[in-house]
Amino acid sequence: MGQVHTEIQQSNVGYKLRVFPSSVKDKGAYMQLSSLISTKGLEENENVPISKVVEMKNGITLKGASTHFDVCANIKSQKGICEYLDVDMEVTYQGKKPLHVGIQVRYDLFGSGQPTWMIPGAFYKENRFSHNTRMYPRYDYNGGDIEQLESDYWAFRSDRAALPAVFAWNDQFSGALFTEEMSGTGLTGLGFIGNKEETAIWLNYPYREEPKTFFSPVEPHPADCPTYLWKPAETVTIQYKVYVGEQDLHAYDPFVRELYSQHQEMYPLNPWVDLKKAAELTAHGLHYWHYDPEHHILNETAAFDRELNGNVGGKGDRPHMHVGWVSGAQYAHALLTYGRRNDVKGYTDAAINVMDKIASGLAPIGIFWAEWKVDKGWGTGWNPNKKWLQARTISEATLFMVRSLQFEQEHHQSHPDWERAVKSNLDFAVQCQREDGNFGSYYHCETGKVEEWDGAGGILWIAALLEGYKYFHDDRYLNAALLAGHYYQRFIMNEFIYGAPEDVHLTPTSEDAYNGVVAYVLLYEAEKKDQWLQLASHVADWMMTFRWTYNIAFPEFSMLHQLDFRSRGADQASPSNQHLHNYGLFCVPEMLRLWRYTGDTYYLDRTRDNLACFMQCIAREDGDFNAYKGMVTERYYNTNSFQAKGMLLTLSHAWCVGVILYAAQEAQAFSEELKIMG
């Protein structure tokens, strides 16, 4: 079977199927299917052994029976982008009375070393450091404390995953199982275990969530282990795929690409509007619903329900502005560019007012304050310590302030206050940078001391410094960016980038991936070295593990089902913040340029998906999905986390509106290749 090898081993209870890559043949490293299925939910669970093996062209058929079930599994070798096994399994219930029971397909991993994991979008390696201040599931080889959401095993619903697959690595090879979100038994599930006694990955039909259900960091729920009601003589078809690869941590990529190529045909896109209309609507929404002309800020939220908002004293509208991230410079930049290009003076003036406000808010150490609040003024944001400023928020603000300077210069406009503020921030980044290139993640707002060096929160300083170099022609900025590029590549090669958002301390997030893409594409443009392009591609591949390849089966009466919302192209925010969001639009221009540089159409296709997905749910007129014209929600709920599956958050967020406005304009230059039609 080529690079994917299979062997049948006979034992005293039947046969066992072993699967392994050619590189580990005869090295005692493999994945093993010991039972066709096992039951879950009976007082005495049973295994269906492999009692018969039939060779067939390009595969094998495995058969077996137990007290309640007959199973026949046809296993075929397939080769597309990578090699894998396709399993088509018929499970027939032989009992005379209906029976509530779940079934599980489990492959044990053999080989040396402690395992590591990935469930795309939902679980990465250990997933959470023991010292992380945010609570969400953590893998602990020694068991851990389940009350602290630590365990040596976890099982999840498939709709938590951007791609319903579970990957495992040991010191010799990697392996994965994939199934679709839905099967004949309902919603499917994924799981793994790793300790001194055993290492395994599995698929559950229907899903099981154990040992706890992660509903939110402050409200974990008990285990959720539903069963399926089997009727006498009923046959259910179960389909799944098996993949094995090298021990390289990037070995997931060929299988993700292969499954995506199949899902492209299975799950269509459904944009409501084209890029031009999206920009028009979101420019209106950002200006009309989020711009505060009294305080010159972009309010972070605007409530859908204006009557309720009036009844609660306007609390649905958040009169705060971060300078980057969830409000601020990036979105003011998008409004500025749209206003100038389309001669809408009100938009241009509003954007300049916001930029002036941000430029006026420098902390004692010479960098931007993170946040401005009505009645409180400037402050540090949502960090673990109220005296800390976070590198990502500040560097993102700096990046878009300097981009706005460049844009305004092209339009014969100057802003000396912006220049001074940007230069002050860039100079701070150069001064605080460690000899190895690390910018640190958190800074004391009064002393400038780097309070936390851990994480990749500072990676976006690379982009800010490179744009600053183009504007100010200061070699220090270029040199600092190049040095940092060498430092932060360790996070990319380790397939574990963390620390971007203020509110999920040292957590791997899709936002870390976006920042990495922007930083390394700009490094390649500044210094045409293959190393930077390879790193940009590498982090883009990791980013795609957060991006949905399929359309979620939303509950029939949910809002997202009624809207026919297609999730292909949406991103998971993070394993800690499980909902779909549109922040991936932040790196649309860099992703499209990456496609041009590499010729890899995978990047074009998946960027098109991201754009097309969020050409949905932009309110086209007042009342559209209960919102007002130009509003965009922050959260689309894909699973049992924070709210019910299929709901959407009834708040418009400045960043969600603004990032569409930004990406829709930037993507116009590629409109012929993208072919996004509303």
Side-chain angles (χ1 to χ4, degrees):
M1 285 190 176
Q3 293 181 351
V4 177
H5 287 261
T6 60
E7 285 182 358
I8 298 292
Q9 298 285 325
Q10 191 165 13
S11 70
N12 57 359
V13 293
Y15 298 92
K16 299 180 188 300
L17 172 69
R18 291 180 177 177
V19 188
F20 50 89
S22 56
S23 59
V24 299
K25 186 175 174 63
D26 302 321
K27 293 183 179 179
Y30 48 84
M31 290 211 304
Q32 180 168 283
L33 178 70
S34 300
S35 302
L36 287 166
I37 63 169
S38 58
T39 63
K40 295 293 177 182
L42 298 178
E43 285 188 15
E44 292 187 16
N45 283 311
E46 59 195 52
N47 298 318
V48 176
I50 305 170
S51 58
K52 187 176 182 179
V53 180
V54 179
E55 297 283 343
M56 61 178 186
K57 185 178 180 180
N58 203 34
I60 53 177
T61 296
L62 308 179
K63 296 183 178 181
S66 65
T67 303
H68 291 98
F69 293 98
D70 279 357
V71 180
C72 177
N74 295 314
I75 303 176
K76 293 183 179 180
S77 177
Q78 303 286 1
K79 185 172 183 179
I81 294 170
C82 65
E83 291 186 16
Y84 62 95
L85 302 180
D86 234 336
V87 183
D88 215 328
M89 184 169 66
E90 291 188 342
V91 181
T92 302
Y93 173 54
Q94 300 290 4
K96 299 186 182 305
K97 296 180 179 179
L99 181 69
H100 284 278
V101 67
I103 61 174
Q104 184 178 94
V105 175
R106 170 179 165 135
Y107 282 70
D108 291 281
L109 271 74
F110 293 88
S112 62
Q114 293 186 14
T116 191
W117 319 101
M118 183 176 74
I119 297 175
F123 209 100
Y124 293 85
K125 295 195 165 187
E126 65 186 284
N127 211 39
R128 170 171 65 89
F129 298 121
S130 59
H131 61 281
N132 196 310
T133 60
R134 177 95 168 182
M135 185 76 71
Y136 60 98
R138 176 175 181 265
Y139 167 67
D140 189 321
Y141 182 79
N142 296 312
D145 178 359
I146 189 51
E147 296 308 314
Q148 298 297 312
L149 294 185
E150 299 172 341
S151 176
D152 60 1
Y153 80 101
W154 286 98
F156 301 107
R157 300 158 50 122
S158 287
D159 58 11
R160 292 188 187 271
L163 177 70
V166 52
F167 290 82
W169 285 259
N170 61 24
D171 288 348
Q172 283 76 43
F173 77 108
S174 58
L177 298 175
F178 162 83
T179 192
E180 297 290 350
E181 177 203 8
M182 303 299 293
S183 76
T185 66
L187 178 60
T188 63
L190 313 156
F192 62 81
I193 189 169
N195 54 41
K196 293 179 181 178
E197 285 73 40
E198 57 184 337
T199 299
I201 55 178
W202 60 77
L203 304 171
N204 286 321
Y205 302 90
Y207 76 89
R208 297 169 67 85
E209 295 226 292
E210 50 187 347
K212 291 276 191 179
T213 297
F214 178 63
F215 185 75
S216 76
V218 296
E219 192 183 1
H221 288 186
D224 177 19
C225 300
T227 55
Y228 177 69
L229 179 59
W230 293 83
K231 298 174 183 177
E234 179 181 10
T235 297
V236 171
T237 299
I238 299 294
Q239 296 174 316
Y240 67 93
K241 303 182 194 302
V242 185
Y243 168 76
V244 288
E246 303 305 308
Q247 77 272 28
D248 175 13
L249 290 173
H250 205 65
Y252 63 82
D253 183 53
F255 195 42
V256 170
R257 287 174 179 247
E258 172 61 33
L259 294 169
Y260 170 70
S261 71
Q262 296 178 27
H263 281 178
Q264 276 184 295
E265 302 300 320
M266 296 168 60
Y267 298 104
L269 303 168
N270 185 34
W272 295 4
V273 295
D274 61 17
L275 294 171
K276 183 177 180 181
K277 187 64 175 179
E280 176 192 324
L281 289 168
T282 51
H284 167 81
L286 191 63
H287 181 258
Y288 190 87
W289 294 111
H290 291 276
Y291 176 59
D292 179 343
E294 178 184 356
H295 299 106
H296 294 170
I297 66 170
L298 293 175
N299 284 345
E300 288 179 359
T301 65
F304 284 11
D305 191 329
R306 307 310 297 169
E307 180 182 12
L308 174 65
N309 190 60
N311 292 338
V312 296
K315 291 183 179 178
D317 298 344
R318 187 191 303 161
H320 307 165
M321 180 179 72
H322 273 72
V323 297
W325 184 37
V326 293
S327 190
Q330 179 182 346
Y331 317 111
H333 171 81
L335 192 61
L336 173 66
T337 55
Y338 188 89
R340 284 234 186 267
R341 288 165 178 162
N342 294 278
D343 196 24
V344 185
K345 187 175 185 299
Y347 294 174
T348 305
D349 291 346
I352 290 172
N353 287 340
V354 172
M355 294 287 195
D356 286 344
K357 178 91 168 191
I358 293 170
S360 73
L362 294 183
I365 57 175
I367 61 176
F368 295 125
W369 287 109
E371 181 187 32
W372 188 90
K373 292 183 178 182
V374 170
D375 299 330
K376 292 187 178 179
W378 292 109
T380 55
W382 304 345
N383 301 306
N385 186 301
K386 291 302 180 184
K387 290 290 187 180
W388 293 3
L389 289 165
Q390 198 237 20
R392 181 276 185 92
T393 300
I394 308 307
S395 59
E396 185 174 288
T398 307
L399 170 63
F400 281 92
M401 288 291 286
V402 73
R403 284 179 171 174
S404 294
L405 280 169
Q406 293 165 351
F407 177 82
E408 288 288 83
Q409 189 177 66
E410 292 165 6
H411 289 79
H412 311 293
Q413 303 293 320
S414 63
H415 301 274
D417 290 346
W418 301 6
E419 286 189 359
R420 283 190 290 271
V422 167
K423 199 167 191 314
S424 181
N425 277 270
L426 296 175
D427 288 346
F428 175 86
V430 171
Q431 292 160 13
C432 79
Q433 187 177 34
R434 208 164 61 183
E435 289 183 359
D436 61 1
N438 188 354
F439 291 114
S441 292
Y442 292 93
Y443 315 120
H444 194 285
C445 67
E446 295 170 350
T447 67
K449 178 185 176 184
V450 177
E451 296 285 357
E452 182 154 23
W453 289 102
D454 195 7
I459 197 171
L460 208 57
W461 278 123
I462 294 172
L465 285 158
L466 290 172
E467 297 284 31
Y469 169 70
K470 287 192 293 185
Y471 187 83
F472 292 106
H473 309 292
D474 188 329
D475 287 344
R476 294 179 304 144
Y477 300 159
L478 174 63
N479 294 334
L482 295 173
L483 181 62
H486 291 290
Y487 174 79
Y488 287 104
Q489 70 178 330
R490 68 194 65 194
F491 293 91
I492 295 172
M493 301 309 295
N494 196 33
E495 305 286 344
F496 197 73
I497 317 172
Y498 57 92
E502 289 181 7
D503 61 342
V504 286
H505 178 236
L506 301 182
T507 296
T509 73
S510 54
E511 295 174 47
D512 288 282
Y514 312 148
N515 294 342
V517 167
V518 171
Y520 283 89
V521 168
L522 265 62
L523 278 167
Y524 175 70
E525 291 171 341
E527 188 184 47
K528 290 291 195 299
K529 289 188 175 179
D530 287 344
Q531 174 190 13
W532 302 132
L533 190 60
Q534 290 166 7
L535 285 164
S537 297
H538 201 107
V539 69
D541 294 339
W542 190 71
M543 182 177 88
M544 296 313 171
T545 69
F546 289 88
R547 183 157 296 170
W548 250 253
T549 62
Y550 64 99
N551 291 331
I552 294 168
F554 292 110
E556 179 182 1
F557 301 114
S558 68
M559 175 70 81
L560 292 178
H561 177 82
Q562 297 298 316
L563 294 172
D564 193 22
F565 181 81
R566 312 288 176 87
S567 58
R568 178 180 144 200
D571 290 347
Q572 178 92 289
S574 73
S576 172
N577 231 344
Q578 293 189 3
H579 61 271
L580 308 182
H581 76 171
N582 70 1
Y583 214 113
L585 298 173
F586 168 78
C587 61
V588 158
E590 288 78 16
M591 283 299 302
L592 291 171
R593 300 204 303 274
L594 179 62
W595 158 60
R596 283 273 174 87
Y597 299 144
T598 62
D600 190 341
T601 57
Y602 177 69
Y603 300 136
L604 173 64
D605 291 346
R606 302 215 67 183
T607 303
R608 178 191 295 113
D609 288 1
N610 191 220
L611 282 159
C613 181
F614 295 108
M615 298 301 103
Q616 303 173 102
C617 288
I618 306 168
R620 295 160 290 192
E621 58 184 33
D622 292 351
D624 198 359
F625 60 90
N626 222 39
Y628 283 81
K629 181 180 175 181
M631 286 185 169
V632 178
T633 184
E634 179 201 13
R635 297 185 175 207
Y636 308 80
Y637 295 100
N638 56 288
T639 189
N640 179 31
S641 189
F642 296 97
Q643 296 214 70
K645 181 178 181 177
M647 295 180 72
L648 55 78
L649 186 67
T650 55
L651 287 175
S652 181
H653 277 249
W655 71 264
C656 303
V657 180
V659 78
I660 293 175
L661 176 58
Y662 171 67
Q665 293 180 84
E666 294 291 326
Q668 287 285 352
F670 298 84
S671 58
E672 288 188 14
E673 297 92 339
L674 288 165
K675 295 181 174 65
I676 295 173
M677 305 299 293

